[in-house]
Amino acid sequence: MSASSPFPSGLDRAATVTRLRAAGCVFAEDEARLLISAARTPAALAAMVDRRAAGQPLEHVLGWAEFCGLRIAVDPGVFVPRRRTEFLVRRAAALARRAAAPARQDTARQDTARPRAVVVVDLCCGSGAVGAALAAALGQVELYAADIDPAAVRCARRNVAAAGGRVYQGDLYEPLPARLRGRVDILAANVPYVPSGDVGLLPPEARAHEPRVALDGGADGLDVLRRVAAGAPSWLAPAGHLLVETSERQAPLAAEAVGGGLIPRVARSSRLNATVIIGTRPRGQGE
Ligand SMILES: C[S@@+](CC[C@H](N)C(=O)[O-])C[C@H]1O[C@@H](n2cnc3c(N)ncnc32)[C@H](O)[C@@H]1O
C-alpha cells in the first residue's frame, strides 16, 4: 500500500499511471488522478482503468465531462461535449444577455425593470451540455432541448433538470411544443458536421464510442445544418439568433445555408479552434 493511496493493494497511483501510459494515454498523470478520485474501491479503480486502457473515452469512464466549468453527466454512447463548443456557449450567452435586457422604452423605469428570462432551445442537445451551460451562465432561462437519440435524451434530462429544462425526443424541431414557434431567442444547435467520408478518420475514441448519428453530417457534413437553418426562421423570435458550430473549411457553405432565411455572420476563436455561424432573424419579419 503506497502512502498516498487509499487503496490497500493492487493498482496504486504509480501503477495506474504506468498502465494508462502503456495504453497510449497522453495525459496519464492527470487521468490517473481523476480515476483514483472517482473510484470507491480498488476493484472499481481496476475496472475503470481496464475500460480506459481498452480505449473508452475518459469521460465515459468517469461518467462526466468538464464543460464551461460544470460537471456534465455523460453516459456511455452519448457524445462527449468538446472544449471548442464553449465558444458557441459564450457567444450565445452574450446575445442572450442583450435579448434579456429591458427594452429601450423601459429605460425611464430602469430602476424597476428586470431582465426577462430568455427562451433558449438546445437542438441536437446530446448530453444537454450547451443548454445546461447557458442556463448556468444566464441565471434565468426558459430552456428546451431535443435530440433524436433516446440515450442522449435520458442523459440530457439529468443535466438540464436543475435549470427546470424540458428535453424532448425526435427529429430536429418535430418534438418541440408548437407554442415555441416565433418565440425562441437563442437557438443553439451543435449538429453533427463531419462529412460521411471522414468519419473513419476520426480518433478511435470518437469512431468506436460515440454514435454515428452524433458525428455524420452527410456527404459534405452540412446535411443536418441545412435542415436546422431552413427551419430556424419560423421558430426564432424577431431578432432571435441561431448559433451552429461548424469547421473553418465548411464555414462559407454553412453561412450560405444560414443566409437563406437569416442574416448570417461567422465567428471564430483560433484559441479553441472553433467556428460558429450566427444567423439573426431580421426584426419586422412576421411581427
Ligand atoms: C455533435 S453532437 C452534439 C451534442 C451536444 N450538442 C454537444 O455539443 O455536446 C450532435 C447530436 O445531434 C443529435 N442528432 C443528430 N441528428 C439529429 C436529428 N435529426 N434530430 C435531433 N438530433 C439529432 C445526435 O444524437 C447528437 O446527440
Side-chain angles (χ1 to χ4, degrees), residues 79 81 85 124-126 130 147-149 170-172 190-192 213-214 227:
F79 184 85
T85 305
C124 295
C125 67
V130 169
D147 201 285
I148 201 162
D149 179 356
D171 183 28
L172 298 186
N190 185 19
V191 301
V213 70
R227 292 179 56 218

Side-chain angles (χ1 to χ4, degrees), residues 10-25:
L11 287 162
D12 66 2
R13 184 176 298 268
T16 302
V17 171
T18 304
R19 177 93 194 280
L20 293 172
R21 197 168 281 141
C25 300

Side-chain angles (χ1 to χ4, degrees), residues 88-100 116 118-123 130-131 134 138 141-144 183-189 235-243 278-280:
L88 183 153
V89 171
R90 281 211 302 275
R91 286 305 179 110
L95 293 166
R97 283 191 194 99
R98 256 181 259 164
R116 66 178 176 87
V118 291
V119 177
V120 171
V121 170
D122 179 1
L123 209 59
V130 169
L134 276 171
L138 296 170
V141 288
E142 201 180 314
L143 175 61
Y144 304 86
R183 283 193 57 223
V184 177
D185 297 298
I186 298 291
L187 176 55
W235 291 88
L236 286 175
H241 308 280
L242 165 69
L243 296 98
I278 302 173
T280 302

